[in-house]
Amino acid sequence: MIEFFSEFFQYAFLKRAFVSCVCLSFGSAPVGCLLVLRRMSLMGDALSHAVLPGAAIGYILAGLSLPMLGIGGFISGLLVALLSGFVSRYTDLKEDASFAGFFLIALALGVLIISIKQNSVDLIHILFGSALAVDEISLVLMGVITTLTLVALAVIIRPLIIECFDPHFFQSNGGWGTFYHGFFLTLVVLNLVSGFQSLGTLLSLSIMMIPAITARFWVERIWSLFILSAMIALFSGLLGLMFSYYQNWPSGPSIVLVCGMFYIFSLTFGTNGSLIQKIIIKK
Amino acid sequence: MLHPHRKKIEIHNLSVHYGDVIALENLSGTFQPNTLTAIVGPNGGGKSTLIKAIQGQVKIKSGNVTHNCRHICESGYLPQKSDVDSSFPLSVYEVIGMGLWLHQGSFKAYTKEQHNLIEEAMCRVGLSQSKHKRIDQLSGGQFQRMLFARIYVQDASLIILDEPFTAIDSQTCDHLLDIIQEWHQKGKTILVVLHNLDLVRKNFPETLLIGRKCVGWGPTNKVLTKANVSQAFANLMI
């Protein structure tokens, strides 16, 4: 067993890949739990597509390096969020619908930019990333994003929860609902960006969402959700990397599929509202 | 000069429109300090709109609302049950603790006194047994008791309750009415949106009857006449 691990961690690129998974787990998983609690799972999906054109431009300028991908993606994600917020405020369209409009435009634009300038290998790269190609600058950036996220969450968690549980009470107490909503969306985009290089733009959402909805089948309190989902993300990262290394599978999809296995197991056998429980209770 | 803790709300020619729909038209009057006022009227008559206008949550078409609060936000507010996410994974204790949010900001831990205050509030509303219960396990009545405890903890001098007695048993209703009376005696200014006119006649000294416009505002027995009530409903038919 020890040999197995020591062989695995012999290589610097595997160590880096693993550290990138650690960063992703601790930053993205709590953000994902809050997305689920705020009933914004699909909003996360929309944002993960919205980052594509910016990331594509970053990719053309600098190749698969996280800082450029990240800055581009961050800008285009935020732009879509702002535009959608603006449209839902000043027209009759609701926020989710206006998001749908802009993220689809962004997605098409992103694919177009990459296809014109580069070839389809690049498209695969940018959509699905490669955890095994994470370099040190990217690692530092991911570490910074994770740290920022955790500190920010620690500070705003109370208003975020109150605003989500009871928005009218929150406002009647002078809470700036829009401010916290915007701040939280920024954290979502930052963490999506953080996952670009390891998982790609399409899959970076999955390490945010799947652990969060998996944890839900085992625990109920907010803090336990955070911790369990981070653990699930971390373990999926490790297992996924091993599959990737020993079976020569692409790393992003391997990690996400391991995560998916945990999810399917949990929704069937979990202790909190799973399929089995529903069936037993029915009997 | 008014005592700083006695809240008064003055409304001048207030109109609120939602697109082409008129929700409230030319409402004027004053919620005097230390009054207990029921706000009644037909559905769609503008009761909730008035509350939102007072709290600055809807765009006012014309007129204004003035008050002597530092900002209106210092009100204890009980939302309609449908506006609260009752499946959120929180405990009774955590929700009641939210009442201290303004004092605590987003980071500080509760002090011992504040913990005691939360316990006291739970005891007052009769939820001491359910301290650590998850809120999705509460009955409708218990849920409402919890929201009352949150206001109790908040200790605001202006209290706004939006349909507090919808779908709860009569025992809980009586208990909560007691608490409202207790607040009234402490000198708080209280606004309650209600449907049940008998309940209003029995428990509320002042009434505002609205059906898009103000139909009557003053002592309950003078406002809740048959003629006024049918007038309020008739206003909506036009």
Side-chain angles (χ1 to χ4, degrees):
Chain A
M1 190 69 180
I2 296 167
E3 266 173 42
F4 181 79
F5 276 104
S6 64
E7 188 202 333
F8 184 74
F9 282 119
Q10 251 173 29
Y11 301 99
F13 72 95
L14 274 175
K15 278 189 211 159
R16 281 200 297 269
F18 179 66
V19 175
S20 79
C21 287
V22 175
C23 292
L24 275 181
S25 314
F26 285 99
S28 296
V31 171
C33 291
L34 284 166
L35 268 175
V36 175
L37 287 175
R38 291 171 72 83
R39 308 189 179 205
M40 283 167 52
S41 311
L42 290 174
M43 199 80 96
D45 199 24
L47 275 175
S48 78
H49 291 77
V51 293
L52 193 61
I57 293 171
Y59 184 77
I60 288 170
L61 293 178
L64 197 63
S65 93
L66 189 57
M68 282 307 277
L69 280 178
I71 293 168
F74 184 68
I75 293 173
S76 69
L78 227 50
L79 207 65
V80 167
L82 281 177
L83 275 174
S84 315
F86 177 82
V87 167
S88 64
R89 219 188 167 107
Y90 294 102
T91 70
D92 285 348
L93 219 53
K94 293 265 187 293
E95 192 177 17
D96 57 336
S98 66
F99 246 102
F102 286 113
F103 95 72
L104 288 168
I105 295 172
L107 181 62
L109 192 65
V111 172
L112 188 75
I113 292 173
I114 305 173
S115 323
I116 288 177
K117 286 286 176 187
Q118 312 280 332
N119 55 39
S120 61
V121 177
D122 294 311
L123 186 62
I124 297 276
H125 252 155
I126 192 165
L127 289 182
F128 302 106
S130 171
L132 304 178
V134 174
D135 56 15
E136 265 160 36
I137 304 173
S138 311
L139 264 192
V140 171
L141 187 62
M142 291 169 83
V144 169
I145 290 178
T146 302
T147 314
L148 263 181
T149 305
L150 290 178
V151 172
L153 279 184
V155 175
I156 67 164
I157 189 80
R158 215 179 265 171
L160 265 186
I161 289 174
I162 300 178
E163 197 254 341
C164 179
F165 165 67
D166 186 350
H168 293 283
F169 172 81
F170 184 74
Q171 283 172 7
S172 74
N173 270 278
W176 306 336
T178 324
F179 167 77
Y180 287 110
H181 185 67
F183 194 91
F184 178 64
L185 282 183
T186 313
L187 284 183
V188 175
V189 176
L190 265 180
N191 279 283
L192 285 173
V193 162
S194 174
F196 272 6
Q197 193 154 28
S198 313
L199 298 167
T201 54
L202 271 193
L203 289 178
S204 68
L205 179 72
S206 42
I207 207 78
M208 203 178 268
M209 298 309 300
I210 303 180
I213 52 177
T214 308
R216 205 207 141 277
F217 285 109
W218 300 99
V219 293
E220 357 190 85
R221 308 303 297 277
I222 292 174
W223 293 110
S224 359
L225 274 175
F226 284 179
I227 293 167
L228 183 61
S229 62
M231 290 302 133
I232 293 171
L234 185 62
F235 204 58
S236 310
L238 182 62
L239 274 181
L241 283 178
M242 288 183 162
F243 277 120
S244 170
Y245 174 67
Y246 289 108
Q247 301 291 328
N248 209 12
W249 289 348
S251 55
S254 309
I255 294 173
V256 176
L257 281 176
V258 172
C259 229
M261 272 161 32
F262 282 129
Y263 170 62
I264 290 172
F265 177 80
S266 305
L267 78 84
T268 319
F269 299 106
T271 51
N272 186 20
S274 64
L275 277 177
I276 289 273
Q277 276 209 321
K278 296 272 170 193
I279 292 166
I280 291 173
I281 291 170
K282 245 187 194 168
K283 273 180 182 172
Chain B
M1 196 179 139
L2 275 167
H3 190 270
H5 293 303
R6 300 196 142 193
K7 302 298 190 225
K8 164 175 157 181
I9 303 168
E10 289 178 52
I11 295 164
H12 309 278
N13 279 323
L14 178 72
S15 296
V16 179
H17 294 194
Y18 294 119
D20 298 334
V21 182
I22 303 168
L24 264 182
E25 210 179 350
N26 284 331
L27 185 79
S28 291
T30 306
F31 292 101
Q32 294 293 349
N34 192 13
T35 46
L36 171 55
T37 313
I39 303 174
V40 294
N43 285 328
K47 303 184 298 284
S48 295
T49 305
L50 173 62
I51 282 180
K52 283 187 184 140
I54 290 173
Q55 294 181 325
Q57 290 178 17
V58 287
K59 241 194 192 160
I60 291 173
K61 173 93 175 169
S62 62
N64 61 29
V65 177
T66 55
H67 45 74
N68 65 338
C69 314
R70 213 163 7 106
H71 55 113
I72 194 71
C73 310
E74 298 159 47
S75 58
Y77 176 59
L78 184 124
Q80 283 185 33
K81 189 155 186 237
S82 54
D83 290 339
V84 183
D85 181 356
S86 54
S87 67
F88 210 87
L90 287 167
S91 71
V92 171
Y93 197 85
E94 287 164 330
V95 172
I96 298 175
M98 283 180 190
L100 295 169
W101 186 56
L102 268 192
H103 306 286
Q104 284 315 91
S106 50
F107 209 57
K108 260 192 275 169
Y110 298 135
T111 62
K112 191 153 188 286
E113 287 80 44
Q114 287 172 322
H115 278 299
N116 290 341
L117 182 63
I118 297 175
E119 298 275 355
E120 182 190 315
M122 276 190 300
C123 201
R124 181 68 187 88
V125 300
L127 276 181
S128 312
Q129 305 298 321
S130 316
K131 184 172 170 183
H132 297 296
K133 244 192 188 173
R134 256 172 38 216
I135 60 171
D136 56 359
Q137 297 168 335
L138 298 180
S139 69
Q142 285 175 318
F143 198 88
Q144 217 59 346
R145 284 168 191 260
M146 173 181 74
L147 294 183
F148 265 73
R150 185 171 69 176
I151 296 177
Y152 186 97
V153 166
Q154 223 180 332
D155 197 26
S157 31
L158 171 66
I159 292 173
I160 301 176
L161 312 174
D162 199 349
E163 302 192 10
F165 306 126
T166 310
I168 59 174
D169 56 278
S170 62
Q171 202 189 348
T172 305
C173 183
D174 291 342
H175 191 163
L176 298 181
L177 274 168
D178 272 354
I179 296 176
I180 293 180
Q181 293 297 347
E182 188 185 308
W183 284 334
H184 183 46
Q185 275 147 26
K186 280 188 187 161
K188 297 176 189 297
T189 307
I190 309 170
L191 281 53
V192 189
V193 172
L194 282 171
H195 276 295
N196 184 337
L197 296 186
D198 291 331
L199 200 95
V200 174
R201 288 195 181 95
K202 253 188 248 162
N203 298 287
F204 290 79
E206 304 273 323
T207 298
L208 162 61
L209 175 63
I210 41 180
R212 213 171 277 159
K213 299 171 194 163
C214 174
V215 179
W217 194 340
T220 300
N221 52 4
K222 289 193 183 145
V223 172
L224 284 188
T225 58
K226 252 190 181 162
N228 274 351
V229 173
S230 26
Q231 174 67 42
F233 278 88
N235 277 355
L236 279 193
M237 301 296 168
I238 307 165

